[in-house]
Amino acid sequence: MISGFFLIIYMGPVALILVVMTVQIKCFQEIITIGYRVYHSYELPWFRTLSWYFLICVNYFFYGETVADYFGALVQREEPLQFLARYHRFISFALYLAGFCMFVLSLVKKHYRLQFYMFAWTHVTLLIVVTQSHLVIQNLFEGMIWFIVPISIVICNDIMAYLFGFFFGRTPLIKLSPKKTWEGFIGGFFATVVFGFILAYLLSQFQYFVCPVGVNSETNGFTVECEPSDIFVMHEYTLPAVVQNTLRWKTVNLYPFQIHSIFLSSFGSLIGPFGGFFASGFKRAFKIKDFANTIPGHGGIMDRFDCQYLMATFTHVYIGSFIRGPNPSKVLQQLLMLRPEQQLSIFHTLHSQLRERGMLPQAAAQAE
């Protein structure tokens, strides 16, 4: 599986997006199938059809929002896409409303409660699987490093916690997972932080990993070329006095992303496993061992991605809170979508503001 992960990364953003969508669909199918079996929903009309219909509707909404947000300029060049982008939310709502009406029309006597159980089951599954997998895609568009590092952190923590628990584990950690130990939990934490720090150093050196995913206007294909942002440029940091006296080092050269990786690794090691504990509680509640038997020895796809979705959500929130600032390229895309008279009005407003602040050369002001 790790070899396959490396191969997919080599194949680029398109392959990664297709894999994420495939994993999302499989996870959705596994959870819906569990509900189908647990509640003995064999006689419910339209249940599976409506479940998959709602999956299509939600994906249409989320991925349409992403395309409009990241590739607005490309959308504006195609007439059919302009229509879909302008009325995207209305179309999405209309599609969902059609499914909602179909569900109401499918209600039958003696099955009302069960049908509403399954309606709620479908929507909770959409919230857990589709929403969070969509955040994985958005992290990817910010740069492949925001996709690779979080996923690798969870994989590393899972492996190292197992090894430390296997060799040194004595103290049970949580009743939901009797085999998990404090020794494995703590050992996995330190090993993961070191791993994340080193991996961040290695990947920060390559534009292929650090550049946001964009579209080449000439080829209409994905591109990952840019001038790396400050967090992927080597900085010199002064060490605290205590560390200087101990190690005899005054400064150290680091990529700022390495510092961010410590926070990502800490979350993946301390909070990430609770995604696995949640999944364990879910399986115990319905008396099943695994979500499915897709992967021999591992269970279903959801058994491997229970922590990944929680990690992806944290990464998305972290980027939005501490990393992402105003994006000039997105602002430019929005400006290009305006009418010419609106663009001209904004130009004059911006020009006068810059002139008042003394940021325009005097010659340019006189020419104006």
Side-chain angles (χ1 to χ4, degrees):
M1 285 190 291
I2 293 176
S3 301
F5 179 57
F6 288 146
L7 177 61
I8 294 168
I9 291 172
Y10 174 78
M11 293 171 66
V14 175
L16 289 172
I17 292 171
L18 292 176
V19 169
V20 171
M21 293 182 67
T22 302
V23 168
Q24 173 215 105
I25 292 170
K26 184 57 181 174
C27 289
F28 180 83
Q29 183 263 334
E30 289 177 358
I31 298 178
I32 288 296
T33 300
I34 291 173
Y36 190 75
R37 293 174 179 172
V38 167
Y39 289 105
H40 304 289
S41 308
Y42 307 106
E43 299 179 2
L44 288 185
W46 296 101
F47 164 62
R48 285 200 169 184
T49 302
L50 285 174
S51 294
W52 288 102
Y53 177 80
F54 283 126
L55 174 68
I56 294 171
C57 290
V58 174
N59 270 311
Y60 176 80
F61 170 73
F62 278 127
Y63 286 101
E65 291 281 306
T66 298
V67 170
D69 187 29
Y70 285 91
F71 311 115
L74 178 63
V75 170
Q76 289 305 306
R77 295 206 299 266
E78 303 292 336
E79 190 67 30
L81 295 181
Q82 289 182 26
F83 175 83
L84 293 175
R86 175 168 297 186
Y87 300 106
H88 173 70
R89 294 193 177 185
F90 182 82
I91 295 172
S92 300
F93 178 71
L95 289 172
Y96 177 83
L97 200 60
F100 177 81
C101 292
M102 285 190 289
F103 167 74
V104 174
L105 293 173
S106 70
L107 292 173
V108 293
K109 291 182 179 180
K110 298 182 181 180
H111 292 295
Y112 290 150
R113 181 178 296 182
L114 181 56
Q115 284 180 288
F116 278 100
Y117 279 159
M118 300 314 301
F119 183 79
W121 184 283
T122 298
H123 282 68
V124 171
T125 304
L126 291 172
L127 177 65
I128 293 175
V129 176
V130 181
T131 304
Q132 296 188 89
S133 65
H134 171 69
L135 298 182
V136 175
I137 299 295
Q138 289 207 322
N139 295 342
L140 172 62
F141 282 132
E142 294 296 328
M144 290 180 64
I145 196 168
W146 294 106
F147 174 89
I148 298 171
V149 170
I151 286 182
S152 301
I153 282 171
V154 173
I155 295 173
C156 173
N157 182 253
D158 197 27
I159 295 172
M160 299 311 296
Y162 171 80
L163 292 176
F164 275 92
F166 182 82
F167 289 105
F168 309 106
R170 297 293 184 274
T171 312
L173 174 63
I174 186 171
K175 291 182 179 179
L176 280 173
S177 298
K179 295 182 179 180
K180 300 293 174 65
T181 63
W182 276 103
E183 291 80 3
F185 185 75
I186 295 172
F189 165 74
F190 286 107
T192 303
V193 170
V194 173
F195 169 81
F197 191 79
I198 296 173
L199 182 63
Y201 171 78
L202 295 174
L203 297 186
S204 295
Q205 302 176 50
F206 302 96
Q207 281 192 17
Y208 182 74
F209 297 117
V210 305
C211 289
V213 177
V215 173
N216 188 314
S217 58
E218 297 179 358
T219 63
N220 288 335
F222 287 112
T223 179
V224 285
E225 297 179 357
C226 69
E227 184 68 27
S229 63
D230 286 343
I231 65 169
F232 302 113
V233 176
M234 189 74 73
H235 285 63
E236 185 178 67
Y237 294 92
T238 302
L239 296 173
V242 176
V243 179
Q244 290 184 26
N245 295 332
T246 303
L247 300 178
R248 305 297 181 184
W249 292 346
K250 291 186 178 181
T251 62
V252 62
N253 292 323
L254 296 174
Y255 292 102
F257 182 74
Q258 290 180 266
I259 300 174
H260 293 297
S261 75
I262 294 175
F263 294 100
L264 295 175
S265 299
S266 298
F267 179 88
S269 302
L270 301 178
I271 307 299
F274 281 83
F277 301 152
F278 177 86
S280 296
F282 178 88
K283 289 184 284 187
R284 287 179 178 274
F286 296 102
K287 299 179 181 179
I288 56 176
K289 183 177 183 297
D290 297 311
F291 283 95
N293 56 0
T294 308
I295 309 173
H298 290 268
I301 299 294
M302 193 64 197
D303 289 287
R304 291 294 89 204
F305 281 83
D306 46 12
C307 300
Q308 295 287 5
Y309 284 138
L310 187 62
M311 185 70 196
T313 304
F314 173 76
T315 302
H316 182 78
V317 173
Y318 188 89
I319 293 172
S321 300
F322 304 108
I323 304 298
R324 186 192 296 124
N327 191 329
S329 63
K330 289 187 179 180
V331 174
L332 181 60
Q333 287 181 2
Q334 292 175 345
L335 289 176
L336 293 174
M337 294 169 65
L338 300 176
R339 296 192 301 272
E341 58 271 19
Q342 293 175 319
Q343 295 174 348
L344 191 60
S345 175
I346 292 174
F347 169 76
H348 286 305
T349 302
L350 182 60
H351 185 276
S352 61
Q353 289 284 337
L354 293 174
R355 186 172 54 188
E356 290 175 5
R357 292 157 59 182
M359 300 183 67
L360 287 178
Q362 189 64 27
Q366 291 175 353
E368 177 68 18

